[in-house]
Amino acid sequence: MRVRDWLVLTVLVVDAVVLAVLELMFLPLGFDGYLLPHTLGGAPLPVSALVAALTTPWLVGVAGRVSPRMLVAAAPLIGWFLAVVVFGMFGPGGDLVLVSDWRSLLLFACGALPSALVLGKVLATTLGPSR
């Protein structure tokens, strides 16, 4: 890999980590009267799971174009996952940022599953059919 490829990969991993932190911060968002109006009986709005479902697979796909090696292509997914776990469990000041309900599971599922599918596609495309 060239220096430019390492720089692009570093930016992709940093983007994944920043997105993971932002997704964690907006995970408790809901119609509870604090940020959004108190309508729908305070129903949660897990928009950060949608953001994770769109951005993390895209970052993995771009990393797969940088290099088809598995560890390089999976670097944004690994960075995202570690950031969600570390910042979610041991957040700023030791706070638990990861909410303990279905929204956390949804965030993990929407971020990791589509990214794993994109990673599988990258690896299948570069490895080719077995003979």
Side-chain angles (χ1 to χ4, degrees):
M1 286 179 46
R2 299 175 299 192
V3 174
R4 178 183 169 274
D5 294 339
W6 283 107
L7 182 63
V8 169
L9 184 64
T10 302
V11 169
L12 291 173
V13 172
V14 168
D15 283 346
V17 169
V18 169
L19 281 166
V21 171
L22 286 173
E23 290 159 5
L24 280 171
M25 293 298 129
F26 284 100
L27 189 60
L29 183 65
F31 293 101
D32 53 4
Y34 291 110
L35 189 58
L36 297 175
H38 186 65
T39 57
L40 302 174
L45 178 69
V47 69
S48 59
L50 177 65
V51 172
L54 296 174
T55 57
T56 311
W58 179 75
L59 292 171
V60 170
V62 172
R65 281 179 279 197
V66 169
S67 175
R69 293 188 304 193
M70 182 173 147
L71 193 57
V72 173
L77 175 58
I78 294 168
W80 179 85
F81 185 79
L82 289 176
V84 168
V85 169
V86 170
F87 287 111
M89 299 299 289
F90 314 105
D95 294 335
L96 180 68
V97 180
L98 200 59
V99 293
S100 57
D101 64 2
W102 60 270
R103 292 174 287 182
S104 298
L105 182 60
L106 184 67
L107 178 67
F108 277 113
C110 288
L113 292 177
S115 300
L117 291 174
V118 170
L119 180 61
K121 182 182 177 206
V122 166
L123 295 176
T125 305
T126 57
L127 296 176
S130 59
R131 297 178 189 215

